[in-house]
Amino acid sequence: MDEPDIVDAVDADDAFGVLSDETRIEVLRALWDADDREATFSELRDAVGMRDSGQFNYHLGTFDGQFVAETDDGYRLTTAGAQLVGALLSGAYTQTLDVDTVEMADDCPRCGSSLSFTYDDGTAEIGCDDCPHVNHFLVPPGAFAGYDAAAYPRVAARYGRKFVRSSRDGFCPLCDGRMAETVLPLASTVEADDVPAWVENVPTCRFDCERCGEVVVADLGTTLAEHPAVVSFHHERGVDVSGEPLWRFTALDTDSARFERRDPVRASVTYEAGGDELAVTVDESLSVVETTIEPGTGG
Ligand SMILES: [Zn+2]
Ligand SMILES: [Zn+2]
């Protein structure tokens, strides 16, 4: 697609070439660790442990301003360089996480049975042991560093929320490209074979990246959990939405999310707190068109 104001500063091959060279990665790490992410030539050479100045100079030259910029006193890490090191540290490219199933203390929001957490190949799954309720999130292994296995489900859920939030804000979580959102039945957002019949017609939000083609599908309950109407409804009933795990708001059944109309699209999702119910109605592009609160009977 056309991106008229953005020019390629270096070839993608050259940029990725940095990753193939251990010395260049060490330079990036040394700058990352340095005060203000700046260092002189000799500080960098010492940190990397390369004696030959000429050879080291050659390596620095290969950055060509991308990832590392020259300053009056030496070198500094650019924003792109910091993002690259950050991605390496996240473990997305270099690590795997080997973890057994974690049995969770939380109940399935659909049937009340127990939930469990599994992790495989960068994808976390939080699912019910007894019904088809399930959430999937892409989570890099490094996101779990510093937590006990018992905390993994909540870490994954927080990461999943970050993914949805980024998509809602219009940025692809993978490439920062522009995301476009559409409210569609679940059956038309994912491979038909994967969709059990009881959720086929549940409205979901599909985010499409215009640059890389990444597709993020999220249920309306999760997608709208941070909408002001939803946050204040919960806040007034003593619930802090930001402290609740993602799966509490999952709306993947026709009791909690449904199409009121298909043309034009009106889809509604309900939240429950303090015995009261909030219904939020959106149009095809996820704009909230109506909210109503149904008081409970004091429950
Ligand atoms: Zn269940
Ligand atoms: Zn993308």
Side-chain angles (χ1 to χ4, degrees), residues 212-243:
C212 77
E214 170 72 359
V215 175
V216 174
V217 176
D219 66 282
L220 287 185
T222 301
T223 307
L224 295 168
E226 293 180 339
H227 187 277
V230 179
V231 171
S232 68
F233 169 78
H234 285 90
H235 177 71
E236 283 159 13
R237 288 157 185 82
V239 180
D240 174 3
V241 164
S242 66

Side-chain angles (χ1 to χ4, degrees), residues 129-144:
D129 297 342
D130 290 323
C131 83
H133 176 89
V134 68
N135 285 288
H136 292 103
F137 328 106
L138 293 179
V139 189
F144 295 103

Side-chain angles (χ1 to χ4, degrees), residues 15 68 86 120 148 154 165 194 214 222 225 231-232 244 254 264 276:
V68 174
D120 185 38
D148 295 334
R154 273 169 201 264
R165 187 184 295 138
D194 296 346
E214 170 72 359
T222 301
V231 171
S232 68
E244 294 293 310
T254 44
D276 301 330

Side-chain angles (χ1 to χ4, degrees), residues 266-287:
R266 290 290 180 272
S268 69
V269 55
T270 53
Y271 296 86
E272 191 278 326
D276 301 330
E277 228 175 60
L278 167 71
V280 178
T281 306
V282 295
D283 66 11
E284 187 181 30
S285 57
L286 202 66
S287 297

Side-chain angles (χ1 to χ4, degrees), residues 10-25 28 58-59 62-63 66-67 84:
V10 292
D11 279 353
D13 281 356
D14 291 345
F16 286 119
V18 169
L19 296 172
S20 69
D21 187 285
E22 192 65 31
T23 304
R24 282 174 242 163
I25 291 185
L28 295 177
Y58 161 77
H59 278 293
T62 58
F63 285 113
Q66 189 77 351
F67 308 125
L84 182 65

